[in-house]
Amino acid sequence: VVGREIPAAYQTPVHNELGFARGLDAALPLKCFPNRLPSTEWWNSGAFTYVGRPKAEKGIPYIIEAWLKLYQIYGEKTPPLWIVGGDVNGIERLRASLHPRFPDLPLHERALRVCWWGHLNEEGISALYLKTLALITHSQYEAGGRVIIEAMSQAIPVIATPTGFAKDLIVDWYNGFLVDYADISRLCRRMALFAAQPLLSNSLGLAARETISTARNRWNGYRRIEQVYQAILQGTSDLPRNEPPPHLQNTVDYFACGMLSTYPYAYDR
């Protein structure tokens, strides 16, 4: 897959650890609460996040079905599902097709366990990634899937189908998981790993950021596109293949070592 540039918002987020815009007093908004916060559990919890167009072919019905199965196991302890992307009309069309199939979905929507965020800019998505356990994508086909490399740049592990960037970059138990399209049972089991052990997101996320950093140093997108055009003009399929992804070369297996970064857990200092 031809590499591409990653927006700065995912490489150097424009917010601080609490999600507030840089340059503001991070402690000031917390002082506005009338009473002391009873605990920090609200901050330590995370969500499963989907980013992309609200289209059925993107696998959203399968993601929702896997999440509903997970909820049957963990109940109120199930991490919420955040769906980012699309306008009101597009989201409503998808919801209308889903509600007859999943009659309990409206209950979870009202309880904010399943949230439709609609369109967000890069800074908004970057802020949501602060509270994300894993990016969930489930496309049947994908030319690239830029949301995958954007999430990995911000130390977010990815559960994806083996297409596009995911096929090149994701390794099970290292920086995320690959799940075949429509394999709802396996998708649910992979999501359950993050529900049972939230710190898994931390260790796999660190490896994800390291993977994409190495990949970006190897990518030469413009040269790759030139090679494709030359092959077409010459009527040949003899196109130089990308080098095998350097997943485990000169890297640290954070999960196997039991290593964690300091608070906030998505970033090492």
Coordinates of all heavy atoms in Angstrom, one line a residue, residues 146-208:
R146 N -6.8 5.4 6.0 CA -5.9 6.3 6.6 C -6.2 6.4 8.1 O -5.3 6.8 8.9 CB -6.0 7.7 6.0 CG -7.4 8.3 6.0 CD -7.4 9.7 5.4 NE -8.8 10.2 5.3 CZ -9.3 10.9 6.4 NH1 -8.7 11.0 7.5 NH2 -10.6 11.3 6.3
V147 N -7.5 6.1 8.6 CA -7.8 6.3 10.0 C -6.9 5.3 10.8 O -6.6 5.5 12.0 CB -9.3 6.0 10.3 CG1 -10.1 7.1 9.6 CG2 -9.7 4.7 9.8
I148 N -6.5 4.2 10.2 CA -5.7 3.2 10.9 C -4.3 3.8 11.2 O -3.9 3.7 12.4 CB -5.5 2.0 10.0 CG1 -6.9 1.2 9.9 CG2 -4.4 1.0 10.6 CD1 -6.8 0.1 8.9
I149 N -3.7 4.4 10.3 CA -2.3 5.0 10.5 C -2.4 6.2 11.4 O -1.5 6.6 12.2 CB -1.5 5.3 9.2 CG1 -2.3 6.2 8.3 CG2 -1.3 3.9 8.5 CD1 -1.5 6.6 7.1
E150 N -3.5 7.0 11.3 CA -3.7 8.1 12.2 C -3.8 7.7 13.6 O -3.2 8.3 14.5 CB -4.9 8.9 11.7 CG -4.7 9.6 10.4 CD -6.0 10.2 9.8 OE1 -7.1 9.9 10.4 OE2 -5.9 10.9 8.8
A151 N -4.6 6.7 13.9 CA -4.8 6.2 15.3 C -3.5 5.6 15.8 O -3.1 5.9 16.9 CB -5.9 5.1 15.3
M152 N -2.8 4.8 15.0 CA -1.5 4.3 15.4 C -0.5 5.4 15.7 O 0.3 5.2 16.7 CB -1.0 3.3 14.3 CG -1.8 2.1 14.1 SD -1.2 1.1 12.7 CE 0.3 0.4 13.5
S153 N -0.5 6.5 15.0 CA 0.4 7.6 15.3 C 0.1 8.1 16.7 O 1.0 8.7 17.3 CB 0.2 8.7 14.2 OG 0.6 8.2 13.0
Q154 N -1.1 8.0 17.2 CA -1.4 8.5 18.5 C -1.4 7.4 19.5 O -2.0 7.6 20.6 CB -2.8 9.3 18.5 CG -2.9 10.3 19.6 CD -4.1 11.1 19.4 OE1 -4.4 11.6 18.3 NE2 -4.8 11.4 20.5
A155 N -0.8 6.3 19.2 CA -0.6 5.2 20.2 C -1.9 4.5 20.5 O -2.2 4.2 21.7 CB 0.1 5.7 21.5
I156 N -2.7 4.4 19.5 CA -4.0 3.6 19.7 C -3.9 2.3 18.9 O -3.7 2.3 17.7 CB -5.2 4.4 19.1 CG1 -5.3 5.8 19.8 CG2 -6.5 3.7 19.3 CD1 -5.5 5.7 21.3
P157 N -4.1 1.2 19.6 CA -4.1 -0.1 18.9 C -5.3 -0.2 18.0 O -6.3 0.5 18.2 CB -4.1 -1.2 20.0 CG -4.7 -0.4 21.1 CD -4.3 1.0 21.0
V158 N -5.2 -1.1 17.0 CA -6.3 -1.2 16.0 C -6.8 -2.7 15.8 O -5.9 -3.6 15.8 CB -5.8 -0.7 14.6 CG1 -6.9 -0.8 13.6 CG2 -5.3 0.8 14.7
I159 N -8.1 -2.8 15.8 CA -8.7 -4.1 15.4 C -9.3 -3.9 14.0 O -10.2 -3.1 13.9 CB -9.8 -4.6 16.4 CG1 -9.2 -4.7 17.8 CG2 -10.3 -5.9 16.0 CD1 -10.2 -5.1 18.9
A160 N -8.8 -4.6 13.0 CA -9.2 -4.3 11.6 C -9.2 -5.6 10.8 O -8.7 -6.6 11.2 CB -8.2 -3.3 11.0
T161 N -9.9 -5.5 9.7 CA -9.8 -6.6 8.7 C -8.5 -6.5 8.0 O -7.9 -5.5 7.9 CB -11.0 -6.5 7.7 OG1 -11.0 -5.2 7.2 CG2 -12.3 -6.8 8.4
P162 N -8.0 -7.7 7.4 CA -6.7 -7.7 6.8 C -6.8 -7.1 5.4 O -6.7 -7.7 4.4 CB -6.4 -9.2 6.7 CG -7.7 -9.9 6.7 CD -8.6 -9.0 7.6
T163 N -7.0 -5.8 5.3 CA -7.0 -5.0 4.1 C -6.2 -3.7 4.2 O -6.0 -3.2 5.4 CB -8.4 -4.6 3.7 OG1 -9.0 -3.8 4.7 CG2 -9.3 -5.9 3.5
G164 N -5.7 -3.2 3.1 CA -5.0 -1.9 3.2 C -3.8 -1.9 4.1 O -3.1 -2.8 4.3
F165 N -3.7 -0.7 4.8 CA -2.7 -0.5 5.8 C -2.7 -1.6 6.9 O -1.6 -2.0 7.3 CB -2.8 0.9 6.4 CG -2.4 2.0 5.5 CD1 -3.4 3.0 5.2 CD2 -1.2 2.1 5.0 CE1 -3.1 4.0 4.4 CE2 -0.9 3.2 4.1 CZ -1.8 4.1 3.8
A166 N -3.8 -2.0 7.3 CA -3.9 -3.0 8.4 C -3.2 -4.3 8.0 O -2.4 -4.9 8.8 CB -5.4 -3.3 8.7
K167 N -3.4 -4.8 6.8 CA -2.7 -6.0 6.3 C -1.2 -5.8 6.4 O -0.5 -6.8 6.7 CB -3.2 -6.4 4.9 CG -2.6 -7.7 4.5 CD -3.2 -8.1 3.2 CE -2.7 -9.5 2.7 NZ -3.3 -9.9 1.4
D168 N -0.7 -4.6 6.0 CA 0.7 -4.4 6.0 C 1.3 -4.2 7.4 O 2.5 -4.5 7.6 CB 1.0 -3.1 5.2 CG 1.0 -3.4 3.7 OD1 0.8 -4.6 3.3 OD2 1.1 -2.4 2.9
L169 N 0.6 -3.6 8.3 CA 1.1 -3.1 9.6 C 0.7 -3.8 10.8 O 1.5 -3.8 11.8 CB 0.8 -1.6 9.7 CG 1.4 -0.7 8.6 CD1 0.8 0.7 8.7 CD2 2.9 -0.7 8.5
I170 N -0.5 -4.4 10.9 CA -1.0 -5.0 12.1 C -0.5 -6.4 12.4 O -0.6 -7.2 11.5 CB -2.5 -4.9 12.2 CG1 -3.0 -3.5 12.0 CG2 -3.1 -5.5 13.5 CD1 -2.6 -2.5 13.0
V171 N 0.0 -6.6 13.6 CA 0.4 -8.0 14.0 C -0.3 -8.3 15.3 O -0.3 -7.5 16.2 CB 1.9 -8.1 14.2 CG1 2.3 -9.4 14.8 CG2 2.7 -7.8 12.9
D172 N -1.0 -9.5 15.3 CA -1.8 -9.9 16.5 C -0.9 -9.9 17.7 O 0.2 -10.3 17.7 CB -2.4 -11.3 16.3 CG -3.6 -11.3 15.4 OD1 -4.0 -10.2 15.0 OD2 -4.1 -12.4 15.1
W173 N -1.4 -9.3 18.8 CA -0.8 -9.3 20.1 C 0.5 -8.4 20.1 O 1.2 -8.4 21.2 CB -0.4 -10.7 20.6 CG -1.6 -11.5 21.0 CD1 -2.2 -12.5 20.3 CD2 -2.4 -11.3 22.2 NE1 -3.3 -13.0 20.9 CE2 -3.4 -12.3 22.1 CE3 -2.4 -10.5 23.3 CZ2 -4.4 -12.4 23.1 CZ3 -3.3 -10.6 24.2 CH2 -4.3 -11.6 24.2
Y174 N 0.7 -7.7 19.1 CA 1.8 -6.7 19.1 C 1.4 -5.3 19.0 O 1.7 -4.5 19.9 CB 2.8 -7.0 17.9 CG 4.0 -6.1 17.9 CD1 4.9 -6.1 18.9 CD2 4.1 -5.1 16.9 CE1 6.0 -5.2 18.9 CE2 5.2 -4.2 16.9 CZ 6.1 -4.3 17.9 OH 7.1 -3.3 17.9
N175 N 0.5 -5.0 18.1 CA 0.0 -3.6 18.0 C -1.5 -3.5 17.6 O -2.0 -2.5 17.3 CB 0.8 -2.8 16.9 CG 0.9 -3.5 15.6 OD1 0.1 -4.4 15.3 ND2 1.9 -3.2 14.8
G176 N -2.1 -4.7 17.8 CA -3.6 -4.7 17.5 C -3.9 -6.1 17.1 O -3.2 -7.1 17.4
F177 N -5.0 -6.3 16.4 CA -5.5 -7.6 15.9 C -6.2 -7.5 14.6 O -6.8 -6.5 14.2 CB -6.6 -8.1 16.9 CG -6.0 -8.3 18.3 CD1 -6.2 -7.4 19.3 CD2 -5.3 -9.5 18.6 CE1 -5.7 -7.6 20.6 CE2 -4.8 -9.7 19.9 CZ -5.0 -8.8 20.9
L178 N -6.0 -8.6 13.8 CA -6.7 -8.7 12.5 C -7.8 -9.7 12.6 O -7.6 -10.8 13.2 CB -5.7 -9.2 11.4 CG -4.5 -8.2 11.0 CD1 -3.6 -8.9 10.0 CD2 -5.1 -6.9 10.5
V179 N -9.0 -9.3 12.1 CA -10.2 -10.2 12.2 C -10.8 -10.2 10.8 O -11.0 -9.2 10.1 CB -11.2 -9.6 13.2 CG1 -12.5 -10.4 13.2 CG2 -10.6 -9.5 14.6
D180 N -11.0 -11.4 10.3 CA -11.6 -11.6 9.0 C -13.0 -10.9 8.9 O -13.8 -10.9 9.9 CB -11.8 -13.0 8.6 CG -10.4 -13.7 8.3 OD1 -9.5 -12.9 8.0 OD2 -10.3 -14.9 8.4
Y181 N -13.4 -10.4 7.8 CA -14.6 -9.7 7.6 C -15.8 -10.6 7.9 O -15.8 -11.8 7.5 CB -14.7 -9.2 6.1 CG -16.0 -8.5 5.8 CD1 -16.2 -7.2 6.3 CD2 -17.0 -9.0 5.0 CE1 -17.3 -6.5 6.0 CE2 -18.2 -8.3 4.8 CZ -18.3 -7.0 5.2 OH -19.5 -6.3 5.0
A182 N -16.7 -10.1 8.7 CA -18.0 -10.8 9.1 C -17.8 -11.8 10.1 O -18.7 -12.5 10.5 CB -18.7 -11.3 7.9
D183 N -16.6 -11.9 10.7 CA -16.3 -12.9 11.7 C -16.7 -12.2 13.1 O -15.8 -11.8 13.8 CB -14.9 -13.4 11.7 CG -14.6 -14.6 12.6 OD1 -15.5 -14.8 13.5 OD2 -13.6 -15.2 12.5
I184 N -17.9 -12.2 13.4 CA -18.4 -11.4 14.5 C -17.9 -12.0 15.8 O -17.6 -11.3 16.8 CB -20.0 -11.4 14.5 CG1 -20.4 -10.7 13.2 CG2 -20.5 -10.7 15.7 CD1 -21.9 -10.8 13.0
S185 N -17.9 -13.4 15.9 CA -17.5 -14.0 17.1 C -16.1 -13.7 17.5 O -15.7 -13.4 18.6 CB -17.6 -15.5 16.9 OG -17.2 -16.2 18.1
R186 N -15.2 -13.7 16.5 CA -13.8 -13.4 16.7 C -13.6 -11.9 17.1 O -12.8 -11.5 17.9 CB -12.9 -13.7 15.5 CG -11.4 -13.6 15.8 CD -10.6 -14.2 14.7 NE -9.2 -14.3 15.0 CZ -8.6 -15.2 15.6 NH1 -9.3 -16.2 16.1 NH2 -7.3 -15.2 15.8
L187 N -14.4 -11.0 16.4 CA -14.3 -9.6 16.7 C -14.7 -9.4 18.1 O -14.1 -8.6 18.8 CB -15.2 -8.8 15.7 CG -15.3 -7.3 15.9 CD1 -13.9 -6.7 15.9 CD2 -16.3 -6.7 14.9
C188 N -15.8 -10.0 18.6 CA -16.2 -9.9 20.0 C -15.1 -10.3 20.9 O -14.9 -9.7 21.9 CB -17.5 -10.6 20.2 SG -18.2 -10.5 21.8
R189 N -14.5 -11.5 20.6 CA -13.4 -12.0 21.5 C -12.3 -11.0 21.6 O -11.7 -10.9 22.7 CB -13.0 -13.4 21.0 CG -14.0 -14.4 21.2 CD -13.4 -15.8 21.1 NE -12.7 -16.1 19.9 CZ -13.2 -16.5 18.8 NH1 -14.5 -16.8 18.7 NH2 -12.4 -16.8 17.7
R190 N -11.9 -10.4 20.5 CA -10.8 -9.5 20.5 C -11.2 -8.2 21.3 O -10.3 -7.7 22.0 CB -10.4 -9.1 19.1 CG -9.7 -10.2 18.3 CD -8.7 -10.9 19.0 NE -7.8 -11.8 18.2 CZ -7.0 -12.7 18.7 NH1 -6.9 -12.9 20.0 NH2 -6.3 -13.4 17.9
M191 N -12.4 -7.7 21.1 CA -12.8 -6.6 21.9 C -12.9 -6.9 23.4 O -12.5 -6.1 24.2 CB -14.2 -6.1 21.4 CG -14.2 -5.6 20.0 SD -15.8 -5.3 19.3 CE -16.4 -3.9 20.2
A192 N -13.2 -8.2 23.7 CA -13.3 -8.6 25.1 C -12.0 -8.5 25.8 O -11.9 -8.3 27.0 CB -13.9 -10.0 25.2
L193 N -10.9 -8.7 25.1 CA -9.5 -8.6 25.7 C -9.3 -7.2 26.3 O -8.7 -7.1 27.3 CB -8.5 -8.9 24.6 CG -8.5 -10.3 24.0 CD1 -7.5 -10.4 22.9 CD2 -8.1 -11.3 25.1
F194 N -9.8 -6.2 25.6 CA -9.6 -4.8 26.1 C -10.5 -4.5 27.2 O -10.2 -3.7 28.1 CB -9.8 -3.8 24.9 CG -8.7 -3.9 23.9 CD1 -8.9 -4.7 22.7 CD2 -7.5 -3.2 24.0 CE1 -7.9 -4.8 21.8 CE2 -6.6 -3.2 23.0 CZ -6.7 -4.0 21.9
A195 N -11.7 -5.1 27.2 CA -12.7 -4.9 28.3 C -12.2 -5.6 29.5 O -12.3 -5.0 30.6 CB -14.0 -5.5 27.9
A196 N -11.5 -6.7 29.4 CA -11.0 -7.5 30.6 C -9.7 -6.9 31.1 O -9.5 -6.9 32.3 CB -10.8 -8.9 30.2
Q197 N -8.9 -6.3 30.3 CA -7.6 -5.8 30.7 C -7.4 -4.4 29.9 O -6.8 -4.4 28.9 CB -6.5 -6.8 30.4 CG -5.1 -6.3 30.7 CD -4.9 -5.7 32.1 OE1 -5.2 -4.5 32.3 NE2 -4.5 -6.5 33.0
P198 N -7.9 -3.3 30.5 CA -7.7 -2.0 29.9 C -6.3 -1.6 29.6 O -6.0 -0.9 28.7 CB -8.4 -1.1 30.8 CG -9.3 -1.9 31.6 CD -8.7 -3.2 31.8
L199 N -5.3 -2.1 30.4 CA -3.9 -1.8 30.2 C -3.4 -2.4 28.9 O -2.3 -2.0 28.5 CB -3.1 -2.2 31.4 CG -3.4 -1.5 32.7 CD1 -2.5 -2.0 33.8 CD2 -3.3 0.0 32.5
L200 N -4.1 -3.4 28.3 CA -3.6 -3.9 27.1 C -3.6 -2.8 26.0 O -2.7 -2.8 25.1 CB -4.6 -5.0 26.6 CG -4.3 -5.7 25.3 CD1 -3.1 -6.5 25.3 CD2 -5.5 -6.6 24.9
S201 N -4.5 -1.9 26.1 CA -4.5 -0.8 25.1 C -3.2 0.0 25.2 O -2.7 0.5 24.2 CB -5.7 0.2 25.4 OG -5.6 1.3 24.6
N202 N -2.7 0.2 26.4 CA -1.4 0.9 26.6 C -0.3 0.3 25.9 O 0.4 0.9 25.1 CB -1.2 1.1 28.1 CG 0.1 1.8 28.4 OD1 1.2 1.1 28.5 ND2 0.1 3.1 28.4
S203 N 0.0 -1.0 26.2 CA 1.2 -1.7 25.7 C 1.1 -1.9 24.2 O 2.1 -1.6 23.5 CB 1.4 -3.0 26.4 OG 0.2 -3.8 26.4
L204 N -0.1 -2.3 23.7 CA -0.2 -2.5 22.2 C -0.1 -1.1 21.5 O 0.3 -1.0 20.4 CB -1.5 -3.2 21.9 CG -1.7 -4.6 22.4 CD1 -2.9 -5.2 21.8 CD2 -0.5 -5.4 22.2
G205 N -0.7 -0.1 22.2 CA -0.6 1.3 21.6 C 0.8 1.8 21.4 O 1.1 2.4 20.4
L206 N 1.6 1.6 22.4 CA 3.0 2.0 22.3 C 3.7 1.3 21.1 O 4.4 2.0 20.3 CB 3.8 1.7 23.5 CG 3.3 2.5 24.8 CD1 4.1 2.0 26.0 CD2 3.5 4.0 24.6
A207 N 3.4 0.0 20.9 CA 4.0 -0.7 19.8 C 3.4 -0.2 18.5 O 4.1 -0.1 17.4 CB 3.8 -2.2 19.9
A208 N 2.1 0.2 18.5 CA 1.5 0.7 17.3 C 2.2 2.0 16.8 O 2.4 2.2 15.6 CB 0.0 0.9 17.5

